[in-house]
Amino acid sequence: MEKDFEGSIDLEPAEEGFRPITGEAGRKDKKKSPLTVIIDKINERYGTDFTEMHKELLLLSIRYVFRYHTYFRFK
């Protein structure tokens, strides 16, 4: 990479205002949650089609079990 410019940039709005950046410029891929990565690997390996909805149902189940277990453990 070489430095080819030094100084400031002046932005001049067009008649309709500033236009948003289009295309792939400035976009970053969102970080996937560990559970999403696991589900993707299971789908690849076993040819399943688990979706984000399945992930949410699994998370709800885990939370329910944890709360149930914690409630009776300290009662």
Side-chain angles (χ1 to χ4, degrees):
M1 185 182 307
E2 291 181 24
K3 179 178 177 180
D4 63 354
F5 177 79
E6 186 172 324
S8 63
I9 300 173
D10 295 325
L11 298 177
E12 296 178 15
E15 288 180 19
E16 65 273 2
F18 291 109
R19 289 179 282 152
I21 296 174
T22 58
E24 298 299 316
R27 290 192 184 168
K28 291 184 179 179
D29 292 334
K30 289 184 178 179
K31 232 181 184 181
K32 289 184 174 183
S33 72
L35 185 55
T36 300
V37 172
I38 291 169
I39 288 172
D40 289 346
K41 288 182 180 185
I42 289 172
N43 285 337
E44 282 179 28
R45 181 174 286 175
Y46 299 106
T48 55
D49 189 28
F50 293 115
T51 63
E52 286 296 309
M53 179 56 96
H54 291 102
K55 180 183 102 171
E56 294 301 321
L57 290 172
L58 179 60
L59 286 172
L60 283 172
S61 301
I62 290 170
R63 287 183 191 130
Y64 177 78
V65 168
F66 180 75
R67 286 183 186 152
Y68 180 81
H69 175 73
T70 304
Y71 175 78
F72 284 104
R73 185 171 152 203
F74 294 111
K75 194 169 184 178

